[in-house]
Each structure stands twice: as C-alpha cells, then as structure tokens.
Amino acid sequence: MDVTVKPRRLAQALGRKKIVFEVIAVIAVALFLLLGLPHLLTDFRLGLLGRFLSLGIVALAIDLIWGFTGLLSLGHGIFFALGGYALAMYLSLVSIPSGQIPEFFSLYGVSSLPWFWQPFYSFPFTLAAIFIIPALVAGLLGYLVFRNRIRGVYFSILTQAALVVFFNFFNGQQKLINGTNGLKTNTSILMGKQVGTPETQFFLYVVTVAVLVIVYALCRWLTSGRFGRMLVAIRDDENRVRFSGYNPTGFKVLVFAISGAIAGVSGALYTIQSGIISPQAMDIAFSIEMVIWVAVGGRATLVGAILGAVLVNMARSLLSERFPNIWLFFQGALFLLVVTALPDGLIGWGRRQFGPTVSQALGLSAGPMAYGENDELRADTLAEKEG
Amino acid sequence: MSKILDIQDVTVSFDGFKALNHLNFAMEEGELRVIIGPNGAGKTTFLDVITGKVEPTEGAAYFKGKDLRKRKEHEIACLGIGRKFQTPRVYLNLSPRENLELSCNRQKNVLATLFKQTPPAEKRTVAGLLETIGLDYKADIPAALLSHGEKQWLEIGMLVAQSPDLLLVDEPVAGLTDEETAKTGQLLLSLAASHSIVVIEHDMEFVRQIARQVTVLHEGTVLCEGTMDQIQNDARVIEVYLGEEAS
C-alpha cells in the first residue's frame, strides 16, 4: 500500500502547488489588463480589446460544451444574442422619459410597449435575465435533443437549424424588437452616464475583465473535480457512462445550460461595448467563428479559448484595416493550418514544446514519477512487476 | 427466487431477422457461466437484452425477480448488473484511478457529482482495486497509454467498482497474449468467489481454464448446457461449433 500512496501524496502536493501558480498567473494577467494596458493602448484599441475579451467569454462557453463534453454547438449565437438583447432592451427603456416607448416603435405604428418588455425596466431583472433566459432556452433545447440521444453531427446540424430559426424570427419582428435594425445602445444612459463615452467604456472594460476572471474560475471549477471527469467520460464514451449507471442526459443538459448562460453574459458585454445588437449576432458564420477561436487556441484548455478569441479577432482587425479584402482568406488559411498542423491548438502545441521545461523551472515536474514519455521504460517496469 | 438471472422465452427480431429465437436461460446466484457459440449465434444480443440496450420483441428477462424490460441502461446498471464490452471501453483521457472512481461513485445524480468529493471509503476501494487489476503503478497516467490487456483489466475493474451482483463479460481475452489470457482467467476466477459472472468467449483454451457450466448458443437459441466435458462430447455442438473450429 505504501508504494501506491506515496505518489498520490506527491501528486496532491504538486496539484496544490499548481493551483497556487495558476491563481498567481490569473491575478497577474488581470492586473496587467487593468493597470498596464490602459496606459499602453489608445482608447480605441482598448475598446476593441474589451470587445475581444468579452468574445473570450463565449469562447469559454464553447470550450466547456465542445472541448470538454464533445458536443459541437454551432448555435451559440442564439444565447449570445439573447443576452445582448436583454441588456439592450433595458438600456432602450432606461434612457427615455417615463411614459414614452423607444423611438423605433413609432416607425411600425406600435403605440404601447409589448408585454415582454415590461420587466426590463428593472435593472436587477435584466442582470438576471442576461444569463437565465439563455440558460433556460439552452436547457430546454438540450433536454429535447439529449433525451432523444441525438449526438455528433446531428446535434451540430440541429443547433445550426435552431440558430436559423431564431435569426429569422428576430429579423422579422420589427414590431417587437426592431427586426433587422437591432437595438442601439450607444446613446443610452447607464448609471447616469452615456454608454458611448470613454469613461463608461473604460468602466465596462474593467467589468469585462472581472467577469472573464469569474467565468474562467467557474469553468475551471466545473472541469476539475468529479463533474469535469464526468464530462470527459461522456465525450470519450457515452455508452460506457450509461452502463456504469449514470444517466448522461442530466449532465449534458446542465452543462449546455451553463454554456448558454455564459454565452448570454458574453453577448451582453459585447453589445454594450460595440453599441448595437442585431440579428447579425445570430449569423451562421459568427457561431462557426466561435468554434474556430477555440480550435485555434486549443480545445479543452480554457486558456486556449480566451487566447484564441482575442488573437483571431486582433488579427482580423489589424489585417482588415490594412488589407480590407484579405481577411476571409486569412481566416480560411488559419483554420486549415490549425486543423492540419496544430490539432491541439496553440496551447496544446505550446504545452508539448515548452511544458516540461516550464514545469521543471517552476518545480512542478513530478520528475521520474512521470510515466508515459518512454514506452520502453514502461515495458521494463511492467516486466519487473510481473517477474 | 434464488435465480439471479432468468430469461424466459425471449425473441428479438430486427426487421424480421431473429437474433434471439425463443431463448430460455437461467442461472443461480454465485454461478460462473460461460456462453459459447459461433459468430452470429446471438451472444452479444443476449447481453444487450439483459443490459437494456435492446428490448425483447417477445418474452421477459428478470434479474433477481425484477423485470428488466422498460428499464433504461443506467437503471439496470444501478440494479447491480455490470457489463464489459467486447472491445475494451474505458475513458481514454482519464487515468485508471479516475476511471475507477467514476464507476465506484454511489450517488450518480448530477448534483452529487458536481458538489461532492469522492469519499475516503471509495478512494480506498479504488486503491485496492488498482492493486487487484495490477495497475497501481500506472494509476495516474492517461488510460490511452495502457496496453490492450491493461485496458481489458481496467474495464473489468470498472465493473467490479460498481459492486454489481452480476458481471457480464464479453470476450475478455480477445487480442491478448497467452500470458495475459492466463492472468485474466485468474482474475475472473477470483472474482467468481463473490460475484455471479457470465462470460462470453470464443477462445476454447480459455473456456477450459475457467468454465464450470457452459451454455452453447446457436442461431439465437440454447443448443445445450452442461460441463465442458459434456459439451465437448455433444454431437450437435461438435457439428455447429467445435467441428467448425477443428476443420
């Protein structure tokens, strides 16, 4: 017994050390984003970064559902847009004198506020709606799909079909939510200040960084522990999970709902920083791009999702400023490159290249306890054990 | 009811093709039963019926007197039936320890899995099991790095971790070396002391090593039952199965 217990203790000690390092690293990055970068970047660039970081949040949602649980959702635009619309509706209501209704309604001859707008007068309701509405929609959709054991490519197609349904619905409802024009938030008032001003935008940047850290911590917690191993088990072999006595449906519905909620938060933060939410957020291409960010950064790594979202979007804004026509080619090439040369994304590649060196430098390596690097070595120990 | 498993007149037809044809089968608590039969005899469908993957078209299956029809796979697993698949199916990206801990978990609902840590008693069970299946020194590497034989043992360990009353083991030695086969046989025999076990196997050498009672399936029904010696001398069996092997 002693022999088996010792490495376990060592592994636990290393595990604790790793957590400490990770917490320090997250705080350091957050402080750099909050205190360092605002001095280095112009307001315009900082605003862009804030948007990209909020896209990093939806990338975390995709990583949770795709990277860890193996469910490729091509419909996260739905949840992203729901969160965005929830906040935009509140902002449309709060910045007009009481008794009036938002201006666009008059264009379509609507004179009284539709019933479902009413609760959005309340700020606490809106904050809750930003993640609860997408979570409910995702939970319901997930329940119907997963209960019927729809998996793999069929699941992806279904999510994309749902996206198209939502897109067409939002696009066509001028009288309810201004249809294809969407809702503008730039000139709205948030906490007594106009949303579009640099001060408010900086405040929103700070909020985005804070939310990103919180969502990252949530995802880390979900994917470590037993629940996280369960997600990986479902990805690896869902039937085995069933025959081990678990019902995977509940797990999948919960993780899909959480993923939807995170996407909603991301959508709200993105909307308020970009100044508009429109059905374009439910464009098919946009939901596929989310998946590309995660693939570029590295699946099932969480950090990779954020990194992928920020880097790809930065590359897009820089490239499309200089060469407006080239971006789509670049994006296609990037995707091909990742699929063929970097199947584990940037983080996966980095871990393989520099992982051992870095962990040794930090004293995190398990040294000779680590198995798996050398097959011959393992064969030897096996023979010894059996002999 | 001392019968742990009772299959009564079960027929399974897929679009008219009868994979199982009025099959009757029963076994006592604590028995180790080996099922043999040529390809297409319906061995795997037989396990599918017991574990709820396939619902019988006709007939009924009882486990300790409980009707297995209409129950979902995970409910049947929780009743106390563990199944090992033909090709080893373990979670490749988890370590053997994590594989076993997931199977060992008593509270399999979502919230308990989310909020509770693995209790110390289960950790001890898992540590003991790792030793039994000879993987204690590879407990914390990804299962993808294990050899084929080690994966087979890990999956058997996962079954035992569920602490089932009945183990269903489908071709546990397919693709193993002779030495590994012998070890697997020993492992199954030692498990037979505290579990009822059904083993499906092709490898006659292995069947001879572990078999007490043997059931021969042929074209979806039971051809005959008996000890290994009786089976080997049965003219019908020689014709449909052993004869084919010899020629």
Side-chain angles (χ1 to χ4, degrees):
Chain A
M1 281 301 282
D2 234 28
V3 186
T4 60
V5 169
K6 254 188 191 160
R8 183 68 172 162
R9 290 252 167 84
L10 187 64
Q12 277 173 352
L14 283 174
R16 273 194 294 275
K17 211 170 168 189
K18 270 184 188 162
I19 291 173
V20 171
F21 273 113
E22 189 175 348
V23 170
I24 292 172
V26 168
I27 292 174
V29 171
L31 286 179
F32 176 67
L33 287 172
L34 291 177
L35 304 175
L37 277 182
H39 298 292
L40 300 172
L41 297 178
T42 60
D43 281 353
F44 172 69
R45 292 278 167 220
L46 198 68
L48 282 183
L49 183 64
R51 280 187 232 174
F52 301 159
L53 289 172
S54 55
L55 293 178
I57 297 174
V58 74
L60 283 175
I62 297 276
D63 202 15
L64 203 56
I65 194 79
W66 181 44
F68 285 91
T69 323
L71 302 161
L72 175 57
S73 167
L74 299 178
H76 262 52
I78 299 172
F79 316 123
F80 184 88
L82 285 173
Y85 269 100
L87 185 57
M89 282 161 75
Y90 166 78
L91 290 173
S92 308
L93 289 177
V94 79
S95 40
I96 50 171
S98 65
Q100 288 186 18
I101 60 173
E103 213 177 351
F104 71 86
F105 279 122
S106 61
L107 296 175
Y108 313 113
V110 179
S111 54
S112 67
L113 199 63
W115 61 270
F116 68 90
W117 277 72
Q118 294 292 349
F120 288 96
Y121 275 114
S122 152
F123 189 54
F125 174 86
T126 306
L127 282 186
I130 283 170
F131 61 93
I132 289 178
I133 291 177
L136 289 178
V137 172
L140 185 69
L141 182 68
Y143 177 70
L144 294 173
V145 171
F146 300 137
R147 194 195 51 168
N148 292 311
R149 302 195 180 180
I150 294 166
R151 286 192 289 171
V153 117
Y154 302 99
F155 170 77
S156 304
I157 292 171
L158 255 169
T159 53
Q160 191 166 74
L163 182 71
V164 174
V165 169
F166 271 81
F167 174 81
N168 284 325
F169 178 78
F170 276 69
N171 223 3
Q173 297 300 322
Q174 279 98 348
K175 291 185 176 178
L176 297 178
I177 36 150
N178 205 17
T180 186
N181 300 318
L183 303 174
K184 292 198 173 61
T185 62
N186 247 351
T187 51
S188 307
I189 308 293
L190 180 70
M191 296 175 195
K193 281 189 177 155
Q194 223 178 29
V195 170
T197 58
E199 299 82 56
T200 315
Q201 285 298 314
F202 181 68
F203 169 71
L204 291 170
Y205 171 79
V206 173
V207 171
T208 304
V209 172
V211 171
L212 183 62
V213 170
I214 292 168
V215 172
Y216 176 76
L218 173 76
C219 290
R220 279 288 284 142
W221 175 69
L222 283 172
T223 56
S224 47
R226 281 203 298 192
F227 187 77
R229 293 197 284 274
M230 195 63 204
L231 298 184
V232 173
I234 289 173
R235 182 187 72 190
D236 280 1
D237 194 337
E238 191 176 338
N239 269 324
R240 177 75 260 173
V241 169
R242 278 207 181 86
F243 289 108
S244 297
Y246 293 92
N247 186 0
T249 308
F251 291 90
K252 288 162 83 178
V253 169
L254 179 66
V255 76
F256 196 51
I258 292 173
S259 178
I262 295 173
V265 172
S266 163
L269 287 170
Y270 185 77
T271 297
I272 198 167
Q273 291 179 87
S274 61
I276 187 170
I277 180 76
S278 77
Q280 283 308 307
M282 288 182 281
D283 186 29
I284 288 177
F286 182 54
S287 289
I288 294 176
E289 275 171 35
M290 296 175 190
V291 173
I292 295 179
W293 305 332
V294 177
V296 168
R299 269 174 295 168
T301 58
L302 297 181
V303 179
I306 303 172
L307 199 68
V310 172
L311 287 183
V312 172
N313 281 291
M314 270 194 330
R316 179 220 296 268
S317 75
L318 290 179
L319 272 175
S320 50
E321 279 164 28
R322 306 239 165 103
F323 321 98
N325 300 322
I326 215 172
W327 166 249
L328 282 176
F329 291 103
F330 180 76
Q331 178 170 289
L334 185 69
F335 194 50
L336 281 177
L337 180 78
V338 166
V339 169
T340 53
L342 297 173
D344 298 324
L346 290 172
I347 293 289
W349 174 77
R351 275 190 190 160
R352 221 170 313 127
Q353 291 288 313
F354 311 110
T357 331
V358 171
S359 55
Q360 230 149 32
L362 293 176
L364 291 174
S365 168
M369 301 307 300
Y371 294 101
E373 282 132 19
N374 189 334
D375 272 43
E376 270 175 9
L377 184 77
R378 288 191 301 127
D380 286 349
T381 46
L382 182 70
E384 252 169 53
K385 177 93 184 170
E386 278 167 359
Chain B
M1 276 254 191
S2 68
K3 284 200 175 63
I4 190 158
L5 189 63
D6 195 2
I7 309 290
Q8 296 173 353
D9 202 33
V10 162
T11 299
V12 172
S13 64
F14 300 117
D15 296 328
F17 168 74
K18 285 185 176 165
L20 294 183
N21 194 0
H22 298 289
L23 180 129
N24 285 290
F25 178 91
M27 69 184 266
E28 306 288 326
E29 192 117 30
E31 207 180 317
L32 168 67
R33 182 76 69 98
V34 179
I35 296 180
I36 60 173
N39 284 328
K43 294 173 304 222
T44 299
T45 312
F46 175 69
L47 294 192
D48 287 347
V49 167
I50 299 171
T51 51
K53 202 176 173 199
V54 167
E55 208 184 308
T57 321
E58 281 174 51
Y62 296 95
F63 170 70
K64 291 186 181 170
K66 291 180 192 123
D67 194 349
L68 293 177
R69 287 174 307 176
K70 305 286 174 203
R71 288 188 205 253
K72 295 245 164 69
E73 293 99 321
H74 63 98
E75 292 165 343
I76 291 175
C78 289
L79 284 180
I81 298 183
R83 177 175 184 179
K84 194 208 149 312
F85 288 88
Q86 209 162 332
T87 46
R89 288 175 65 176
V90 298
Y91 311 123
L92 296 176
N93 290 299
L94 299 179
S95 70
R97 191 189 302 280
E98 290 166 342
N99 268 281
L100 290 172
E101 278 178 357
L102 275 184
S103 297
C104 194
N105 181 10
R106 289 282 148 271
Q107 290 173 295
K108 305 206 175 191
N109 64 61
V110 178
L111 293 180
T113 309
L114 184 56
F115 290 112
K116 289 198 181 141
Q117 300 275 319
T118 308
E122 285 178 18
K123 283 194 171 159
R124 277 195 296 276
T125 313
V126 167
L129 265 171
L130 282 166
E131 225 167 332
T132 311
I133 56 174
L135 288 176
D136 44 350
Y137 63 110
K138 289 188 179 179
D140 298 306
I141 63 170
L145 298 173
L146 299 179
S147 74
H148 181 71
E150 288 168 332
K151 283 181 199 154
Q152 296 273 31
W153 294 330
L154 175 57
E155 200 183 3
I156 294 174
M158 286 165 73
L159 293 201
V160 178
Q162 278 170 252
S163 63
D165 301 311
L166 175 63
L167 294 176
L168 306 173
V169 187
D170 199 350
E171 301 204 13
V173 298
L176 296 194
T177 64
D178 289 350
E179 193 189 348
E180 288 172 328
T181 301
K183 262 186 87 171
T184 307
Q186 283 161 13
L187 181 59
L188 285 175
L189 285 173
S190 68
L191 289 174
S194 48
H195 301 84
S196 312
I197 306 183
V198 174
V199 180
I200 287 185
E201 195 40 75
H202 265 307
D203 183 329
M204 296 316 280
E205 198 65 33
F206 178 71
V207 172
R208 245 172 242 119
Q209 184 196 347
I210 64 166
R212 296 165 195 172
Q213 282 290 109
V214 179
T215 298
V216 186
L217 287 192
H218 179 54
E219 291 179 350
T221 49
V222 174
L223 189 69
C224 71
E225 280 180 358
T227 63
M228 195 64 199
D229 286 337
Q230 287 168 331
I231 297 291
Q232 278 176 304
N233 295 320
D234 191 295
R236 292 168 301 171
V237 176
I238 293 170
E239 191 187 326
V240 305
Y241 189 69
L242 297 173
E244 281 175 20
E245 288 247 311
S247 64

